[in-house]
Amino acid sequence: MIITEEDLSALIPADWVPGPAQGFWTYEDYAALPDDGRRYEIVNGVLLMAPAPNPDHQGIVALLMHYLVVQIQFAGLGRVLPGPVDVVLGPKNVYQPDAVVMLNEHMERVQEKSIVGAPDLVVEIASPSTATFDRVVKYETYARAGIPEYWIVKPKIRSVEVMVLEHGEYRSLGVFSGQAMLPSRIVPGLSVKVEQFFV
C-alpha cells in the first residue's frame, strides 16, 4: 500500500524524530522514543505523528467507552481500552485506535506496554481529513492482522459503519445512524441507539 499526501492530510511524517530512515521504523525503535506528549503511529515502517484530538472527538470516545465498558467489562467478557494504546500488528505497523475491545479468550495479547496481536474490535473516529486513511490504509492492515470487527465512526454525519472480517476481508454490515442499533458480533445485544454516541 502506497500512502499518498491525501491520506496523510491529518497525519504528518515525523521526519524530525531521530531514528531509522522512514520506511524502516520498527516497534522496537518506536518503543525507545522518549515521551514527548505527541501521538505517533507506524504504518509500513513510516513514523507518523497524529494531531491531538478535538473535544468533540473525545466526547464521542467517552460515550463509546461508557457503553462498551458496561456491555463488555462489567459483564465479565473482557476489557475495553481507550486510545492512545499501542496496538502492535507487526514489526512495522503500530497503531493507536480510539477504542479497543479485548475479549477474555485473547487477554494474553494485552501486555505491560502494548497490545501485541489483533484486538477483537477496534474503533476509529474519522474526520474528513482521516477518512481515506481509516477506510483504506487501516482497513487493509486491520484485515491482514485478523481483527474480527472494525467500526468507523463519522461525527460529521453522526454515523457508525460496522465491518466484520470474512475470509480475510471486511464486509460492511451497513452504515447506521439515528435510532438504529449496531449489529455487532463482538458486542452482541448492544442496546444503544447510534444517536446516543453523539449527545
Side-chain angles (χ1 to χ4, degrees), residues 1-11 129-134 136-137:
M1 166 60 62
I2 296 172
I3 303 169
T4 67
E5 286 299 315
E6 183 178 309
D7 297 329
L8 298 177
S9 55
L11 296 164
S129 60
T130 65
T132 301
F133 187 71
D134 292 329
V136 178
V137 178

Side-chain angles (χ1 to χ4, degrees), residues 27-28 53 82 119 148 150:
Y27 177 68
E28 289 73 26
Y150 176 27

